[in-house]
Amino acid sequence: MGTALSPHEYAVMNALAGEDLETAFDDLLQATGLDQSLVSAALTALAGNGWAAVTEETLTEVVPTEAGKQAAVTGTPERQLLLVLDLDQEIFMPDVHKVAAEKGFDGSAAVQWIFRKKWAKKVKDENGGADKLVLTPEGQNALVKSHSPDEVAIARASRGEILHLEELVEDGIDVPALVKVLRSRKDLVKLRNRVRRRASLTEMGREIVVGGITVAEEVTALTPELLASGRWRKVTFKKFDVTLDTERLVPGRAHPLARIVQETREAFYSMGFGEVRSDFIESGFWDFDALFQPQDHPAREMQDTFYLERPGRLPLPEDEGLVDRVRRTHEDGGDTGSTGWGYRWSIDKARQAILRTHCTATSIRALAEDPNPPRKVFTIGKVFRRETVSYKHLPEFMQIDGIIIDEGATLATLKGTLTEYYKKLGFDRIKFKPSFFPYTEPSAEIYVWMESRGQWVEMGGSGIFRPEVTEPLGCKVPVLAWGLGLERLAMFRFGASHLKELYDGDLGWLREVPLCR
Amino acid sequence: MPVVAISTARLRSLLGTEIEGKALAEAIDFLGCDLEELVEVHLFECPACGTIVYRLPREAAPKTCEVCGHEEAGGFIDQGTDEVVRLDLLPARPDLFDSAGLARALVGYLGIRTGLPPYPVEDGELSVTVDPSVLAVRPEIACAELTVPPLDQAGLAEAFHLQEHLHWAVGRGRKKASIGAYDLEAIEGEITYTALAPDHEFVPLGMPGRMMSLADILTKHPKGRVFKDLLAGYDAYPVLQDARGQVLSMPPIINSEETRLRPGTSHIFLDVTGHDRRVVDDTLALVLTSICHVTGSIKSVKIHRPGETRVTPDLTPFTRTLSPERTTKLIGVDLTEEEMTSCLSRMRLDVTGRAANGDFEVAIPRYRVDVKHEVDLIEDVAIAYGYHNLPSLLVPTMTVGQELPQTAIGRKARRTLVGLGFVEVMSFVLTNREEHLTRMRLPEDVRQAKLLNPISVHQEIVRTNLLSGLMSIFALNKTREMPQPIFEVGEVVRATEDDSTQHLRLAIGEMGPRSDYARIRSVTDSVFRELGLTIDVSPLTDHELAPVFLPGRAAVIGLNGETAGVMGEVAPEVITAWSLDHPVVVAELDADVVLANLI
């Protein structure tokens, strides 16, 4: 079967397998016909597999300048000066520059290097004349024998071949000393460091080659066909840039308010509450009268409550006794021990159809239906106030209303039940303070601490139904009741900027608001 | 609800104690008042009458006096700042409407001065004769005479505000009770309460030097115009006048200029008129016990009525019994009888004795008009104990939680649709004919419930289906990314003249370049399949919602022979009526029918 390799790795392996020793990188380029980056990548991959070994060597390349190339032909400045001295044996120092100018070489460099190479020395004139430059034995020697190492390097580098100083070791030249010299001859040559790589197959690599190697293709997508055929084993998968962004997905999602509604339901189910419901088109009887709210109470005015033209009126409960007990309670307290409101109760007002102002209408229907303890029910539904839509007010909103009919129901258990509910929704601090409502006594308002706003926010009202409410319905035990808003909880939880945003239906917001916090 | 601002400095002086504004505000909150805020306000003085009004830091200086009606273009005189508590007035507790009433309650709550506050009434000389002519118009009257330290501007303004607030809360806009206060020095001899002809004249308050007839006052005087309905249909109007014929007032509209209260007035005559004696007496008690709470003395007035003479005011405390057992049982905290007595005392109630069955006999000051039943006293004990001191307990009885079938079906459909990538929307149930009917090509009358007193033309009827709600969401989002798969679970209403029914519906919709019948059919199918139901699909022909759809591309969803909903492509006429430019598909399912088939 052999080993499947990417096309580049295959080419490099093949080239290396043809050589017993190390192969220079440049030779690999030639042998494979690939460019540098591809060969590098393939070598890195092969070395990663342990199939190839790569050695690196740093070489110093000599690159002559224009002046260097010139010196290779005419000789370095100090050699030219040496030749002048060969003729005259000595020369007055002041004349050096004149001669240099005539012959066309750099006089200063010539003097500097002729001293450094000790080919000449300066001799003072005993008669007070100008100093003389005099040839030394080393100078004589240099004339006869050979060129100095720097001259050799400059000459060879100027011949058009790439010269690495390290090659001169073979000529018996002290390379580190030469490097030092050439570094100070920048006018003639530049030195560049070159890394030379060589590669060879390891023992393992050779075994792989012996076992046979083949070219595997590179693919973008993993397809069913690749999986079914097993060909996925032979191909290599194009690597993706995993840091790039991809398409933005919008999951299906519940409405933020529906989420609060559902959490509220679950909170009350878990505390043993059954759910009830009733229509939001309601009679004055159930919305107000059964709750001992006098018929001239400001909340019943047309200014605050939506009345209906159709249906204009709604049927009263079939139990006429119930209606009559409610009437008498309003008028003089009836049998409840109350003084009542002291007015003439109107059955027509009780029949008027309205959009319910609170879900307590549903609670009270549930109480009338079955007033026997123990019972815990709640309802979540729409309620209406005669307001125009604004940032602060809505004509319709949701309310969670509930009642507990129980011998052991007390103001303390009302506080505990509501505290528990808000805890379940993640609001740990609540304030329970006295208030006054027409149908509960004692009454309490509930505030929740909103950390994000740094303030207490009113959530709604609660209390224990007055006997004027419960007794006409045939209930003789305390009934805890509450009606709380839900919009503000949703608003604070999901960071809506105002109440209206919840009902705006802006898909931008509905798709983006993080729901799982 | 009206809001009052009460100076904390004034409260401190009434309490006779140094108490920080914050602590004061907290006590007011714990007492059950609807505390808005504790805030520093700017005071302004009316250059004409000297009334001090306040403005919040965010409000502009006043230009019109609410007491005398004076207008000052340049604004009122700046009188510096003051710290106030702002309260939303609670109609149930009219005894807490002003600083005196509030201080009276606080002084007890804080334990400074507890027990029943005394309100002695001396026998007075004044009498009022009720003429039979007024009985048909506004029959009841109660009066009192009082002497107070000479009134200053602040006292006058506070009395004015208390009067207005009592008119609102107890008087129900002066209908059930209206209050009049007069300078007794300007009144001579016997007072008569009578009804006079519309052409009778006097100088009304705020119109010095201008005689106006009763009829003119109703049509021309600012107060007359506001309250004229209260006297509509009568050919004679109530008037209080003295022996000289000097008019004191025309209840419930306006007092006379001649008898008005002025700075320095200290001898006052008070009257309350109305239809119901209890309300009239309650109101008089509220005014008197507040004005005279700190200083002042009250004298009674004899009211001679046809066939009856009575003496007002009666400020005797009334009595109710309170069972200690029921108190403990309702609050849920074990209180000893001593603790209970002390709580009652801090609420300015006295335990005066014990009934045979051991119940407390509790004396209640006359101003506590809210006390109708024993439970009102139990609440007082709870407030004095402190709601913040109550433990948080749960009812020990075991009951079982239970979801409604309607809720369950909504929850299940929501789960399926969210899984299919649909976004839930919620719209208002109130809508209007234009959007709900006209744009949807539905007939004018589909038995929709109609409001009698809509507040906006946009919200005049109750929705009968959820489809126009979905369309309005699409219209709002027409520039947002397509496709837009949305759904709503909501209730709709059908009404007749004397009844209505409410139904739970599920609406599904999608707007997008490839939204077609096949798409809505697939989605609807999966909703039913997840519920374990198999639907029959037949072409939509005869259905109330047929006009909404493109003919031939809509279907009726049948469940065991019942219609469970409709689905299809929305007619281009409807799409363009909503100014939309993409295909829209919708379905509306009837949850009631689905439920019936699930069981």
Side-chain angles (χ1 to χ4, degrees), chain A residues 155-465:
Chain A
R156 284 184 54 179
S158 301
R159 248 183 252 155
E161 70 183 72
I162 291 175
L163 173 68
H164 292 124
L165 286 182
E166 287 74 7
E167 293 166 13
L168 297 179
V169 174
E170 294 161 18
D171 302 335
I173 288 174
D174 177 356
V175 173
L178 177 59
V179 167
K180 223 170 145 192
V181 169
L182 291 180
R183 286 247 154 85
S184 47
R185 305 215 70 167
K186 291 207 172 76
D187 51 333
L188 302 180
V189 288
K190 307 253 183 273
L191 298 185
R192 288 203 188 114
N193 282 337
R194 297 282 183 206
V195 175
R196 185 155 71 183
R197 274 194 290 181
R198 291 170 169 278
S200 59
L201 287 184
T202 60
E203 271 313 305
M204 209 200 301
R206 292 204 180 276
E207 281 166 23
I208 295 287
V209 175
V210 171
I213 53 175
T214 55
V215 178
E217 70 187 286
E218 190 177 62
V219 298
T220 309
L222 176 59
T223 60
E225 184 277 324
L226 282 177
L227 289 167
S229 65
R231 209 154 62 76
W232 59 272
R233 293 178 214 276
K234 295 187 199 135
V235 302
T236 56
F237 293 94
K238 185 174 153 56
K239 292 192 169 74
F240 292 151
D241 182 350
V242 294
T243 63
L244 293 181
D245 284 338
T246 54
E247 183 195 356
R248 190 183 183 96
L249 296 182
V250 183
R253 44 197 8 234
H255 192 280
L257 186 53
R259 209 185 145 90
I260 288 287
V261 165
Q262 190 55 28
E263 283 181 36
T264 297
R265 285 194 176 113
E266 279 157 19
F268 281 100
Y269 298 147
S270 76
M271 292 192 281
F273 284 73
E275 191 177 5
V276 292
R277 62 166 300 285
S278 70
D279 294 357
F280 52 70
I281 292 189
E282 186 55 280
S283 63
F285 183 83
W286 289 114
D287 200 83
F288 298 121
D289 295 283
L291 288 161
F292 194 54
Q293 226 160 331
Q295 295 187 326
D296 65 349
H297 192 275
R300 295 183 75 153
E301 281 169 18
M302 294 266 283
Q303 193 182 319
D304 298 321
T305 299
F306 283 121
Y307 282 80
L308 289 152
E309 183 184 319
R310 178 171 56 197
R313 40 189 272 159
L314 289 174
L316 291 181
E318 281 171 21
D319 179 357
E320 284 173 21
L322 167 64
V323 177
D324 198 55
R325 286 194 298 277
V326 168
R327 173 187 64 78
R328 288 205 293 127
T329 308
H330 275 247
E331 292 185 345
D332 60 12
D335 304 326
T336 66
S338 170
T339 53
W341 292 110
Y343 74 104
R344 281 284 308 232
W345 188 80
S346 150
I347 199 160
D348 288 332
K349 282 204 167 182
R351 284 198 180 108
Q352 281 175 326
I354 58 162
L355 292 179
R356 72 179 167 210
T357 59
H358 50 191
C359 280
T360 316
T362 308
S363 296
I364 202 72
R365 277 175 174 271
L367 180 63
E369 202 165 284
D370 179 6
N372 301 312
R375 214 171 155 224
K376 292 186 222 155
V377 297
F378 77 97
T379 186
I380 297 177
K382 285 235 170 174
V383 300
F384 302 80
R385 300 284 157 84
R386 195 163 172 273
E387 308 251 20
T388 47
V389 180
S390 72
Y391 292 110
K392 277 182 134 176
H393 298 285
L394 299 172
E396 49 177 282
F397 49 95
M398 307 288 285
Q399 229 174 33
I400 152 73
D401 233 87
I403 52 173
I404 297 178
I405 313 171
D406 198 292
E407 282 288 353
T410 66
L411 196 57
T413 55
L414 175 62
K415 182 178 178 180
T417 304
L418 298 179
T419 303
E420 197 62 35
Y421 160 56
Y422 283 109
K423 247 194 224 162
K424 283 174 186 287
L425 265 82
F427 299 95
D428 284 338
R429 279 179 75 190
I430 82 151
K431 183 165 87 173
F432 190 68
K433 61 151 286 205
S435 190
F436 298 93
F437 305 112
Y439 41 94
T440 51
E441 196 78 22
S443 306
E445 270 175 353
I446 300 104
Y447 289 72
V448 167
W449 178 257
M450 291 296 171
E451 194 60 49
S452 58
R453 309 232 162 175
Q455 67 182 56
W456 291 103
V457 176
E458 189 188 336
M459 283 298 149
S462 67
I464 304 179
F465 274 145

Side-chain angles (χ1 to χ4, degrees), chain A residues 53-127:
Chain A
V54 179
T55 56
E56 285 182 354
E57 185 183 7
T58 305
L59 298 176
T60 316
E61 185 185 331
V62 184
V63 184
T65 62
E66 279 310 309
K69 284 177 189 162
Q70 179 69 29
V73 181
T74 60
T76 59
E78 69 274 15
R79 168 100 23 208
Q80 293 202 55
L81 185 59
L82 186 67
L83 290 174
V84 172
L85 282 175
D86 186 25
L87 291 176
D88 302 338
Q89 292 304 306
E90 58 178 43
I91 184 171
F92 286 111
M93 282 300 283
D95 293 339
V96 169
H97 286 283
K98 219 190 304 173
V99 174
E102 278 168 20
K103 304 250 176 202
F105 65 89
D106 181 348
S108 302
V111 173
Q112 182 195 342
W113 283 100
I114 209 160
F115 286 151
R116 191 157 161 182
K117 290 183 176 174
K118 297 185 175 118
W119 288 346
K121 62 182 180 190
K122 202 160 64 179
V123 178
K124 279 189 193 285
D125 183 47
E126 283 153 11
N127 305 319

Side-chain angles (χ1 to χ4, degrees), chain A residues 248 250-251 253-257 259 490-491 493-496 501-502 506-517, chain B residues 423:
Chain A
R248 190 183 183 96
V250 183
R253 44 197 8 234
H255 192 280
L257 186 53
R259 209 185 145 90
M491 195 175 127
R493 169 87 78 82
F494 299 113
E501 190 163 14
L502 293 174
D506 175 5
L507 287 179
W509 187 67
L510 290 174
R511 281 169 170 170
E512 294 297 325
V513 56
L515 272 194
C516 297
R517 66 171 159 214
Chain B
V423 174

Side-chain angles (χ1 to χ4, degrees), chain B residues 26-356:
Chain B
E26 190 178 73
I28 290 169
D29 203 26
F30 287 163
L31 205 50
C33 291
D34 203 343
L35 178 73
E36 285 267 300
E37 57 185 337
L38 172 74
V39 67
E40 183 112 312
V41 294
H42 264 282
L43 299 179
F44 293 95
E45 183 187 326
C46 168
C49 72
T51 299
I52 305 283
V53 293
Y54 77 89
R55 286 292 182 269
L56 294 173
R58 54 185 179 265
E59 293 173 333
K63 292 190 167 136
T64 309
C65 180
E66 55 186 331
V67 176
C68 73
H70 175 81
E71 286 188 22
E72 182 77 29
F76 284 18
I77 306 158
D78 193 330
Q79 291 288 12
T81 59
D82 193 14
E83 184 189 58
V84 299
V85 283
R86 297 181 72 239
L87 308 173
D88 256 342
L89 293 183
L90 298 164
R93 291 296 300 270
D95 60 308
L96 300 175
F97 278 8
D98 67 344
S99 61
L102 201 55
R104 178 173 59 201
L106 281 170
V107 89
Y109 180 77
L110 296 170
I112 299 165
R113 212 159 37 252
T114 59
L116 212 57
Y119 291 105
V121 178
E122 289 172 50
D123 288 340
E125 304 293 318
L126 278 177
S127 67
V128 173
T129 303
V130 180
D131 188 86
S133 63
V134 81
L135 294 180
V137 194
R138 198 169 175 88
E140 289 297 336
I141 183 164
C143 305
E145 174 190 345
L146 61 150
T147 309
V148 294
L151 289 170
D152 58 5
Q153 281 299 353
L156 275 173
E158 195 162 31
F160 168 80
H161 284 129
L162 174 64
Q163 184 184 351
E164 286 303 299
H165 294 146
L166 290 175
H167 279 159
W168 163 77
V170 189
R172 299 278 193 262
R174 301 194 185 187
K175 185 177 164 208
K176 298 179 82 174
S178 93
I179 306 159
Y182 321 87
D183 183 355
L184 195 51
E185 307 298 335
I187 300 170
E188 275 182 31
E190 188 87 346
I191 297 165
T192 310
Y193 180 45
T194 183
L196 297 177
D199 59 354
H200 191 81
E201 293 188 324
F202 73 101
V203 180
L205 192 64
M207 302 272 174
R210 187 169 162 202
M211 289 289 273
M212 288 177 83
S213 71
L214 303 185
D216 278 353
I217 287 172
L218 287 184
T219 54
K220 291 176 184 152
H221 193 282
K223 295 286 179 195
R225 287 203 295 267
V226 175
F227 296 106
K228 63 177 186 299
D229 288 350
L230 297 177
L231 294 178
Y234 295 106
D235 50 12
Y237 302 129
V239 164
L240 270 167
Q241 57 183 7
D242 70 5
R244 299 169 299 167
Q246 165 66 49
V247 171
L248 277 62
S249 66
M250 173 190 180
I253 313 295
I254 191 80
N255 286 10
S256 72
E257 179 68 25
E258 188 66 25
T259 58
R260 74 180 295 170
L261 300 184
R262 293 185 162 80
T265 301
S266 77
H267 208 181
I268 299 169
F269 177 70
L270 266 177
D271 83 286
V272 178
T273 59
H275 295 271
D276 177 335
R277 181 171 293 181
R278 186 164 98 179
V279 178
V280 166
D281 288 353
D282 283 355
T283 308
L284 184 62
L286 283 164
V287 182
L288 284 172
T289 57
S290 180
I291 294 179
C292 296
H293 177 65
V294 188
T295 49
S297 61
I298 305 165
K299 282 184 180 170
S300 62
V301 175
K302 283 195 191 66
I303 315 276
H304 301 294
R305 300 174 62 84
E308 178 200 12
T309 293
R310 69 182 196 115
V311 177
T312 62
D314 180 359
L315 299 183
T316 322
F318 57 107
T319 309
R320 272 208 161 268
T321 57
L322 173 67
S323 150
E325 292 75 37
R326 281 196 291 270
T327 305
T328 301
K329 207 172 160 242
L330 209 59
I331 298 176
V333 175
D334 276 326
L335 291 172
T336 63
E337 296 193 349
E338 290 69 35
E339 285 169 326
M340 253 181 245
T341 308
S342 147
C343 281
L344 289 167
S345 184
R346 281 174 51 225
M347 299 307 279
R348 318 257 17 207
L349 309 166
D350 276 352
V351 176
T352 52
R354 301 293 287 258

